[in-house]
Amino acid sequence: MKKDLNLLLAGFGGQGLLFAGKVIAYCGLIENRQLSWLPSYGPEMRGGTANCGVCISDEPIGSPLVVAPNQLIVMNLPSLEKFVNAVPSDGLILVDSTMIPATVSRTDVTVRCVPSTALAESNGLKGLANIVLVGTLFSEYEFCAYDTLVEAIRKSVPASKTEMFDLNIRALRLGLEYN
Amino acid sequence: MADKVLMKGNEALAEAAILAGCRHFFGYPITPQTELAAYMAKKMPKLGGTYLQAESEIAAINMVLGASSAGVRVMTSSSSPGISLKSEGISYMAGSDLPALIVNVQRGGPGLGGIQPGQADYWQATKAPGHGDFHLIVFAPSTVQEMVDLVYKAFELGDKFRTPVMILADGMLGQMMEPVTLPSALTAVPDEKPWAASGHANKRKKNIINSLYLDPNLLEKTILERRKRYDQITAEEQRCEEVQCEDAEIVVVAYGASARVSRSAVNQARAEGIKAGLLRPITLWPFPTDAIARLAKSAAAFLTVEMSMGQMVDDVRLAVNGARPVAFYGRTGGVIPTPAEVLTAMKSLIGG
């Protein structure tokens, strides 16, 4: 049985969280599963926090609003503070530790701190910290086949920017292999 | 069957309208409906169609009136405050027996309200979409796939019954992406429209499109004639989805986004051993009175869940007709209820 995903991605507008969410949503589409992708919209996107919920399941998705994420990806401090206690016990929290100097004090969840923004920049992948974290998510929680994830990136990158595909895959590998 | 694609509700609805042969769109931008108009702006010129951003919602709906008078398939879309502005034109269209698709991607109100999802335009859509004695057929999708499928149905029924049809969605459905299978394109829009003012070329009697009747007896006659069509619609077109209602003791009634939340709550209730079901109206007018009246014989209680202070609950109470208690739970102003809140409301209804 395939794993259900109930993921919230949160950070600043411009960090590519909606795009990362879309890549993950495509994984559900490619594997012919039920899924929903719901972005925050409106003033909270303009300079404030932007977030996006992705659900993947074999059952029809009820509410697409992710209020208790089993998986949380956070890329700024306000988002960590806002959502850290929304994650149920045994959940997974992925933190961009370049952007968030704070630590997570909860002991009932798995926490992975990845300096994804610094990692991306030092590898010539500026702006792809989001995909680095998708790689780490995959390494912690295999919600689809690896080939599916690659195909999902192919579908999400505009056809006119094929060189971006290779960069996204490199970012994915960075996050996947980070210890 | 065509491959599934991932699309936002707003964009999927726009694509479906194009596939259904609609080539004329008149609108005015407003959040959270904007992607729909933007999609039309991009696509319509390439198809030889019309995309026109009018100077106001009032102008846009009157352009829809004009295009429909000429017999073409036409639509407009907006969000709550914009629909209020369109209401005069909607009434004129109903009085002129003109079909058109009107989409309301609802947000929180009243006034300018907010831009987050709402369902507080139920009364407006089903009871008073404008002045005078008339109804719209009102569809309430709850998935992106339904945003697509109901577009075809809306155009079809609009033409059949010569009435404007509304799709009442909300910001959540407009903004979210889900897998969707797009239908194949209609190669030709069906139905001759012998009533259309499309040029008689001296070969037939002229057609007049009008909603002004100064003789009250004549006006009454047109309204009663329209009433017969409403009766037929009420008898034939009630639609709803019933989920686990057969043995349900508590039936949650919810449409659109709140039906999705309620479906999660019902599943949770079932997991806890509560015999719960969901009745999801797909048509809000005609309201699925018959299905609810039938369930009022088997279920012990009803809970209506809405993103409003409680509007559809009136119609649920009329359908239940005092046979069972009907409770209400809602959040409003752009706040989306959580499944946990709905579950708590269900428990307090059966507990007390």
Side-chain angles (χ1 to χ4, degrees):
Chain A
M1 189 160 150
K2 288 176 176 170
K3 287 179 180 172
D4 282 5
L5 193 75
N6 184 40
L7 166 74
L8 187 70
L9 307 104
F12 289 125
Q15 285 181 315
L17 289 155
L18 269 55
F19 179 84
K22 197 171 157 183
V23 167
I24 291 164
Y26 266 118
C27 295
L29 183 80
I30 292 163
E31 297 194 347
N32 205 22
R33 304 183 70 197
Q34 308 275 345
L35 75 97
S36 66
W37 173 95
L38 180 71
S40 60
Y41 63 91
E44 56 179 330
M45 280 178 69
R46 299 184 184 114
T49 56
N51 66 66
C52 152
V54 183
C55 303
I56 302 179
S57 176
D58 292 319
E59 301 298 319
I61 311 290
S63 176
L65 193 69
V66 178
V67 286
N70 293 326
Q71 297 85 26
L72 174 68
I73 293 179
V74 276
M75 292 187 69
N76 69 3
L77 189 58
S79 297
L80 178 67
E81 287 170 345
K82 189 172 174 187
F83 297 116
V84 65
N85 291 319
V87 178
S89 288
D90 303 325
L92 172 65
I93 301 179
L94 303 184
V95 177
D96 179 346
S97 53
T98 313
M99 301 302 293
I100 306 172
T103 52
V104 178
S105 54
R106 285 184 62 177
T107 53
D108 61 331
V109 294
T110 305
V111 180
R112 283 291 308 271
C113 294
V114 183
S116 47
T117 296
L119 263 179
E121 283 183 17
S122 62
N123 283 278
L125 301 169
K126 195 166 189 285
L128 288 176
N130 55 342
I131 301 300
V132 173
L133 288 168
V134 171
T136 311
L137 172 69
F138 180 80
S139 73
E140 287 290 328
Y141 188 79
E142 213 173 309
F143 58 93
C144 67
Y146 178 75
D147 290 350
T148 301
L149 196 48
V150 173
E151 185 55 28
I153 289 174
R154 197 186 304 278
K155 273 181 178 279
S156 305
V157 174
S160 56
K161 294 184 182 172
T162 44
E163 75 282 2
M164 281 303 293
F165 171 75
D166 295 332
L167 301 179
N168 274 275
I169 297 296
R170 276 178 53 206
L172 185 75
R173 300 292 324 174
L174 269 181
L176 224 163
E177 286 151 17
Y178 180 79
N179 288 309
Chain B
M1 199 170 71
D3 281 346
K4 281 186 177 172
V5 292
L6 200 54
M7 282 179 105
K8 274 192 167 193
N10 281 335
E11 293 172 341
L13 194 153
E15 179 60 27
I18 289 170
L19 291 171
C22 177
R23 289 293 179 274
H24 305 278
F25 178 97
F26 304 95
Y28 188 83
I30 184 168
T31 305
Q33 162 276 165
T34 304
E35 294 84 1
L36 206 168
Y39 194 91
M40 290 301 196
K42 209 171 0 173
K43 290 282 173 107
M44 280 300 195
K46 292 178 189 157
L47 296 165
T50 313
Y51 167 84
L52 199 150
Q53 182 176 318
E55 69 269 33
S56 71
E57 284 88 347
I58 298 169
I61 192 70
N62 282 289
M63 291 170 185
V64 172
L65 186 152
S68 181
S69 299
V72 297
R73 200 158 257 201
V74 58
M75 71 174 290
T76 187
S77 63
S78 191
S79 179
S80 308
I83 296 293
S84 294
L85 283 164
K86 288 181 202 282
S87 64
E88 180 196 53
I90 293 172
S91 173
Y92 279 44
M93 292 184 74
S96 308
D97 296 311
L98 291 172
L101 171 60
I102 299 152
V103 178
N104 181 359
V105 184
Q106 294 174 91
R107 60 192 234 181
L112 275 176
I115 59 170
Q116 296 306 313
Q119 292 185 322
D121 302 347
Y122 179 92
W123 280 334
Q124 182 191 48
T126 61
K127 316 288 182 203
H131 63 280
D133 246 347
F134 79 97
H135 282 290
L136 303 176
I137 297 175
V138 183
F139 286 111
S142 84
T143 61
V144 174
Q145 185 66 56
E146 241 178 7
M147 296 276 269
V148 166
D149 297 343
L150 291 176
V151 166
Y152 272 59
K153 205 71 208 165
F155 279 122
E156 179 197 322
L157 294 188
D159 285 350
K160 180 176 175 185
F161 293 107
R162 288 189 63 185
T163 174
V165 180
M166 178 175 279
I167 291 184
L168 190 67
D170 56 64
M172 179 198 272
L173 290 165
Q175 296 296 324
M176 71 185 287
M177 287 203 292
E178 277 187 314
V180 60
T181 306
L182 292 166
S184 49
L186 291 183
T187 44
V189 176
D191 295 337
E192 274 293 292
K193 291 176 176 168
W195 48 263
S198 52
H200 54 68
N202 289 320
K203 289 190 176 122
R204 61 162 169 79
K205 225 172 129 231
K206 68 182 175 187
N207 286 330
I208 296 174
I209 310 283
N210 177 40
S211 73
L212 176 67
Y213 297 89
L214 293 176
D215 175 352
N217 290 306
L218 190 56
L219 178 55
E220 186 188 48
K221 192 166 156 267
T222 69
I223 296 166
L224 293 177
E225 185 278 325
R226 200 173 296 121
R227 166 82 186 263
K228 280 187 199 154
R229 276 179 280 150
Y230 291 158
D231 288 345
Q232 190 188 347
I233 293 167
T234 305
E236 295 174 3
E237 302 297 343
Q238 294 180 32
R239 281 158 214 273
C240 63
E241 182 192 12
E242 294 178 37
V243 185
Q244 304 188 86
C245 283
E246 304 80 21
D247 65 337
E249 285 166 9
I250 176 165
V251 172
V252 179
V253 186
Y255 71 96
S258 50
R260 299 185 67 111
V261 174
S262 299
R263 185 190 287 263
S264 296
V266 163
N267 287 341
Q268 185 59 38
R270 283 273 171 181
E272 294 182 21
I274 300 167
K275 286 189 176 173
L278 171 69
L279 186 137
R280 179 175 72 82
I282 297 170
T283 51
L284 299 180
W285 198 89
F287 193 68
T289 305
D290 298 350
I292 291 177
R294 173 170 48 73
L295 287 178
K297 292 181 185 137
S298 57
F302 290 80
L303 175 70
T304 306
V305 178
E306 301 174 55
M307 279 141 58
S308 75
M309 292 194 296
Q311 301 190 1
M312 182 179 72
V313 63
D314 289 356
D315 285 331
V316 177
R317 288 199 174 109
L318 284 171
V320 170
N321 202 15
R324 296 286 185 263
V326 178
F328 171 75
Y329 181 77
R331 299 296 301 266
T332 189
V335 181
I336 300 167
T338 65
E341 289 169 10
V342 175
L343 183 61
T344 303
M346 289 164 74
K347 284 176 179 170
S348 73
L349 179 60
I350 46 176

